[in-house]
Amino acid sequence: MVRLWANLVFTVRLLRRHRLYSLISLAGLTAGISACLLLGMYVVDEVTFDNFHPEKEKIYRLSTKGSNITAGLTGLPIGPMIAEENQEIESVVRLLSYGKRVDVQRDQIHYNENGILYADSSFFSVFGYELIQGQAEQVLNRKEKIVLSQSMVEKYFPEGDALGKGLQVNGKVYQVSGIMADVPSNSDLQFSALVSMEDLNPQWAQVFNQDLFRIVCFTYLKFHKTPDPASLQASLDAFGEKHIRPWAEQNGSEEMYYYEAVPIEAVHFDHTNEFDSPKGNYTYVQIFGLVALFMLIIACINFINLSLARSAERSREIGIRKTLGAGKSSIRLQFFLETFIMSLLAYAISLILVELALPSFNQMAAKSFSLSILLQGKVILLSLSIIIAVSVLSASYPAFILSSFEPIHVLKGRLPRLGSSGLVRKSLLVIQFAFSMAMILGTLVVGQQMRYMKGQDLGFSHDPLLVYRIPSDTSFQRNLSGILKDIERLPSVENVALSSNVPGQGFGELMVRVETKNKLHEATMRYMSVDQDYLKTMDLNLIQGRNFNPDSAQDYSKAFIINQKTAEVYNWGSDAIGKRIQIGLLADDQATVDGKVIGVVEDFHFESLHHPVEPLAIQFTNSFVAYLTIKVRSDFSFTEEKIGSIWQKHDPGRITESFYLDEGFAEQYKTEERMVKIVGFLALLSILVSALGLYALTAFNLKQRTREIGVRKVLGANASDLAWIISSEFLSLLGLAFLLAVPFSYYLLIQWLDGFAYSISLDATYMLITAGIASLVTMSIIAYHAFKASEASAIYALKYESG
Amino acid sequence: MPVNHTVSAKKLALTFSGEKNQELAQKIKMIRTESISKIYRSKEVETIALNQVSINIESGEFLSVMGPSGCGKTTLLNVLGLLDVPSQGAYFFQGKNMVELNEKARSEIRRKEIGFVFQSFNLIEELTVYENIELPLIYLDKPRKERRALVEQVMDRMKMSHRHKHFPSQLSGGQQQRVAVARALVNSPSVILADEPTGNLDSKQGNEVMDLLAQLNEQGTTIVMVTHSAHDAAFSSRIIRLLDGELLSENRTSQNELVW
């Protein structure tokens, strides 16, 4: 304890005496630890998704696998059917969305909600979501009960007390039977209210229960004890053969569905499913984890290099201590304690930095972290052990070098020759450079890919298109024509169109039959329905045939417009008009809609550039639309205001949701946007740390060569000559680092770019820019030192080593 | 101004009074070297820093080592201070052969028995006067209370008590060297090795330091001092001269006679 205190005092004095080095050392460590803390929070949060359920190892989610579909959903009766067969299953919870824009109202408070789920009554006994008021078994055990999250209570019951009160959902009154804490952000299931599965419309329930292939709900199974994966899969396969195959045959389907159970903890990274909640990206988690580790290692390397650089200055003190009888171990202990104190200080500063950085980091990473996460006992203990590890890692090598100084040499003022340490130092520098260059390269390429995607012609209008979500309730849909007429009348509005989908907001997939070589061929196609003004509003180019005609009854039921890609895939060429397409398939080549192609539009990107353009079938409709797209000529905010008041006039109390189509489309690149920001920020940080390290090492190098430089100066060398002398060594190290960084990061980046259907090609430009940035940083640091060395007195330099 | 040395000699003689006086005094040969040589080898050049040097230093003696630059004075002092090992020959410290000891054992003897004073003071800049003096005691693992008592005592003796919180950079050269002497003294070593202790001081400060060393010697501390200065050497009881690593001559300073 005494020694720790004495060392603390000593370290603080050292820090004060050598302010610049201290600042650089501390800055490097702080940067590394801060980055590590932030990324660590991100990584831990991602890998602990749905970790809070008390018996999580017993909870599995079912997914459905068919020849052309993999979904994290199942048919409504599947869960209970499986449970009936399998005695190891304790309970089943099915969750079904209440709808996307559910009309929720209490007195004057009226919103559209999309977080309401139908749930089985076992919900709270299976999951760990916290029920604050109400009995777990009773809150959902019969009709017309609703469990609200705390935020919902605050929204609809500002007076606070909600239990037992009524709330209107899509016109039906529910009684609040329970209140739950808001769903934790690290849960894949995000919802704001639950109603009993018994409230499901009986007609729908009947349709869903009869059609095993109608995949509509999440199905969670809870087992009595953790199941054996192999035997569980075997029993699910057996279930498929026993129940699903006969049903499929009976119903004349060529398709067969199988089921798989995914542990709830693995669901977050399970990307195989369609129609699922937004998922974590395990690659990014791995990359961030790796980067966090690297940032810490870089900080340690930086610290080591700085310590070695400072060892010349420290050598005298150590010489004295050794002369006075200090053993190697006591010198090492002293150095370790110094480093530990430094790391601790850096950690404390990091906590402040993290607190300052959290708002922007949360925004970048779409998280809602707070500093309190880092201040829990367990986390502090973990951090402390990391700090100790960092100290040991950073202290051991310099301590070894410092403690081996021979006092008779250093006391004469002769700088110790760090023979073998030169290689270590150089290797460390190369690693540091390589990492920084990899980060620069990554930032350049990821950033360029983002720019490329955003700059890509998506095939539809470049003008700003204002999109409104249309509430689904029938009363509103009935009002729609009135609203449309009023909006069309606004002078600043050029066009108005209705559609079931808009680009960037998700497109359904349909089983279809299409005509190929005079035969009908089963396939899947993307699907949307639009009104007659959609093509014009969106500036979609018709390249064959014609648009829908509102006066033709035939067009409503039997006409399709397809995209170019469809014509390409089915080899229709310029002959697409008149080809048959069926949707709503029935047996024996019958279908509810059997229509013909009347037009072909140029391909446009209705999904993000991660995906290639797929065949699309567009149908004509004037009902059941979800989006209103408006082309505005001018006065955007004024027009928006006007449209808002029109909306209010026709449907008082409704809160409208609108967005610009291009912005909505760009939302799809959110994960990548985050990646760019985080990687860019880290690249900057790592360059900074490396630059600081380089700064110190150059200083060290110069100090070791004081005499040589003094002699050169006496003989007439100027700043640029000196710069060349110093830089030749560093530049070759830089080159080596470059050779290390490029293949590794190119490999990772190619993998990353593979995730996009449309991507930039990796050429040498990025390498050149990276090399350029790295050389520029290196050369400016060296130039600074060379200039300083050339300004210094040569006499001092020559006297310096003569002792 | 040379100091009469008989006082301390008497003191010592008193310590070893009685019949065994002579016998004991023989045993207390503080330092004895037998033909030690130190040869530095680099790839192509061999430099002989010390060549077959044999000296005896008695307990309580004040020995000066003189000679021109590069004659091997400092090398000799380093060997005597166990900071360096001779290439050849034997070195006995208090009768024990030092040549065979490993670094750990040598550093332990250094800790307990030897105090160092350097030309450039070699105080640690980040430590206060008090802490600098305390340092050897820490390495001796002395308890805190004892350390305080010893440091205060020696600071008092060196008249540095009022400056105990100062840092070296806040002191004059002479004061710094006094602190260095205090540090060398605090663990009551058997011998103090001083390497040009006045080399960085002006003559007034230099004299103060020399007076101090002479006083210590008077009180019984053995001192070996390397110096360029005939003036400083005059404080000592004996002078040896080195040239090119070899012992040239040995003369006792006129006014001082050894007891044994």
Side-chain angles (χ1 to χ4, degrees), chain B residues 116-239:
Chain B
F116 291 87
V117 179
F118 302 92
Q119 175 179 1
S120 52
F121 325 132
N122 279 338
L123 298 175
I124 294 179
E125 299 292 338
E126 290 80 12
L127 297 181
T128 61
V129 165
Y130 180 97
E131 289 160 342
N132 262 296
I133 299 175
E134 186 191 26
L135 209 51
L137 301 175
I138 290 177
Y139 293 127
L140 277 171
D141 281 333
K142 295 257 195 245
R144 196 185 164 76
K145 266 191 180 168
E146 192 181 338
R147 290 206 305 265
R148 173 174 289 184
L150 287 169
V151 174
E152 276 170 3
Q153 196 185 332
V154 76
M155 278 198 310
D156 198 35
R157 204 159 134 203
M158 296 292 125
K159 301 192 173 58
M160 289 304 297
S161 299
H162 60 298
R163 299 217 180 258
H164 73 280
K165 276 189 177 163
H166 285 62
F167 287 94
S169 57
Q170 297 167 308
L171 301 177
S172 71
Q175 287 169 327
Q176 288 191 50
Q177 196 61 301
R178 261 161 50 205
V179 176
V181 173
R183 183 180 65 185
L185 211 64
V186 74
N187 56 342
S188 314
S190 327
V191 59
I192 287 181
L193 301 177
D195 192 353
E196 308 234 20
T198 64
N200 280 9
L201 300 176
D202 62 29
S203 60
K204 183 169 170 270
Q205 291 176 335
N207 274 337
E208 279 172 18
V209 169
M210 282 319 297
D211 281 338
L212 193 61
L213 288 177
Q215 243 176 60
L216 289 175
N217 178 248
E218 239 174 73
Q219 289 156 9
T221 311
T222 311
I223 297 175
V224 179
M225 176 177 77
V226 162
T227 181
H228 266 114
S229 149
H231 171 266
D232 289 357
F235 283 81
S236 58
S237 52
R238 185 158 63 107
I239 300 171

Side-chain angles (χ1 to χ4, degrees), chain A residues 673-746:
Chain A
E673 290 273 0
R674 269 177 231 153
M675 173 90 173
V676 178
K677 282 185 189 151
I678 295 178
V679 168
F681 169 72
L682 292 173
L684 208 65
L685 210 59
S686 78
I687 296 168
L688 185 77
V689 173
S690 301
L692 291 176
L694 181 70
Y695 177 89
L697 273 193
T698 316
F700 173 65
N701 187 288
L702 274 178
K703 205 162 226 168
Q704 286 230 313
R705 296 163 77 173
T706 307
R707 183 134 108 180
E708 176 202 331
I709 285 164
V711 172
R712 285 179 191 270
K713 274 172 64 181
V714 169
L715 298 178
N718 58 24
S720 61
D721 297 322
L722 294 181
W724 177 243
I725 295 161
I726 313 165
S727 58
S728 53
E729 183 189 345
F730 284 114
L731 285 180
S732 57
L733 293 180
L734 203 67
L736 193 62
F738 184 67
L739 290 180
L740 271 176
V742 166
F744 176 68
S745 35
Y746 262 48

Side-chain angles (χ1 to χ4, degrees), chain A residues 2-3 10 13-14 17-18 316-317 320-327 330 407-408 411, chain B residues 78 83-84 107 110-111 116 118 122-128 131 135 138-139 167 183:
Chain A
V2 172
R3 187 153 276 193
F10 185 76
R13 287 179 194 159
L14 261 184
R17 249 179 85 79
H18 307 277
R316 205 174 72 95
E317 171 216 330
I320 297 169
R321 287 181 187 271
K322 285 186 91 172
T323 306
L324 298 178
S330 103
I408 53 163
L411 288 184
Chain B
N78 287 337
L83 291 171
D84 208 347
S107 93
R110 244 183 359 244
R111 210 179 293 164
F116 291 87
F118 302 92
N122 279 338
L123 298 175
I124 294 179
E125 299 292 338
E126 290 80 12
L127 297 181
T128 61
E131 289 160 342
L135 209 51
I138 290 177
Y139 293 127
F167 287 94
R183 183 180 65 185

Side-chain angles (χ1 to χ4, degrees), chain A residues 54-68:
Chain A
E55 293 181 296
K56 52 186 181 290
E57 66 287 348
K58 297 182 188 168
I59 307 172
Y60 280 70
R61 194 183 81 175
L62 281 180
S63 34
T64 306
K65 304 231 163 184
S67 60
N68 52 28

Side-chain angles (χ1 to χ4, degrees), chain A residues 431-621:
Chain A
I431 296 174
Q432 211 178 10
F433 273 142
F435 177 75
S436 300
M437 286 197 251
M439 294 296 288
I440 297 175
L441 202 55
T443 310
L444 288 175
V445 171
V446 174
Q448 187 57 33
Q449 171 68 14
M450 296 310 296
R451 268 191 296 281
Y452 168 80
M453 289 197 290
K454 287 188 176 167
Q456 201 59 353
D457 186 1
L458 295 171
F460 54 80
S461 175
H462 296 286
D463 298 325
L465 295 169
L466 191 56
V467 179
Y468 283 81
R469 286 186 212 277
I470 302 172
S472 60
D473 43 302
T474 44
S475 64
F476 186 80
Q477 297 268 351
R478 246 178 265 130
N479 273 331
L480 201 54
S481 57
I483 294 182
L484 274 186
K485 271 186 197 127
D486 282 354
I487 295 177
E488 274 169 343
R489 228 172 273 141
L490 290 172
S492 53
V493 168
E494 196 175 319
N495 269 315
V496 179
L498 296 169
S499 61
S500 62
N501 305 70
V502 294
Q505 303 298 319
F507 269 62
E509 202 166 8
L510 275 186
M511 290 289 293
V512 295
R513 291 197 194 100
V514 291
E515 181 185 339
T516 48
K517 293 174 190 157
N518 296 324
K519 273 175 69 186
L520 285 175
H521 168 79
E522 231 170 73
T524 56
M525 271 180 98
R526 298 311 187 97
Y527 170 86
M528 74 186 290
S529 53
V530 303
D531 70 359
Q532 68 277 10
D533 292 325
Y534 195 74
L535 299 191
K536 196 167 73 185
T537 309
M538 290 287 288
D539 286 342
L540 297 177
N541 284 334
L542 263 175
I543 49 174
Q544 286 182 45
R546 60 172 177 89
N547 193 2
F548 298 116
N549 176 6
D551 300 326
S552 157
Q554 190 83 349
D555 274 10
Y556 281 105
S557 57
K558 290 184 180 295
F560 288 100
I561 290 177
I562 55 162
N563 64 353
Q564 229 175 329
K565 184 81 186 173
T566 318
E568 229 174 270
V569 167
Y570 300 110
N571 285 319
W572 292 339
S574 54
D575 216 10
I577 307 304
K579 298 286 186 217
R580 267 172 85 193
I581 295 180
Q582 289 186 338
I583 59 174
L585 303 188
L586 303 168
D588 301 326
D589 277 359
Q590 298 298 306
T592 46
V593 178
D594 192 341
K596 290 210 162 94
V597 174
I598 61 157
V600 180
V601 287
E602 234 171 22
D603 281 343
F604 63 100
H605 289 278
F606 50 90
E607 285 188 303
S608 73
L609 298 187
H610 291 93
H611 308 282
V613 174
E614 288 180 51
L616 173 72
I618 307 173
Q619 239 199 322
F620 191 27
T621 187

Side-chain angles (χ1 to χ4, degrees), chain B residues 62-123:
Chain B
F62 187 161
L63 177 79
S64 287
V65 181
M66 296 190 74
S69 285
C71 71
K73 303 184 300 277
T74 301
T75 307
L76 177 65
L77 204 68
N78 287 337
V79 170
L80 298 184
L82 300 172
L83 291 171
D84 208 347
V85 258
S87 315
Q88 287 160 20
Y91 169 30
F92 296 93
F93 185 86
Q94 294 181 326
K96 272 184 240 149
N97 193 352
M98 295 289 114
V99 177
E100 292 144 17
L101 296 183
N102 61 18
E103 170 56 31
K104 202 176 171 196
R106 286 190 289 138
S107 93
E108 197 178 325
I109 294 176
R110 244 183 359 244
R111 210 179 293 164
K112 288 181 182 158
E113 307 288 351
I114 305 172
F116 291 87
V117 179
F118 302 92
Q119 175 179 1
S120 52
F121 325 132
N122 279 338
L123 298 175

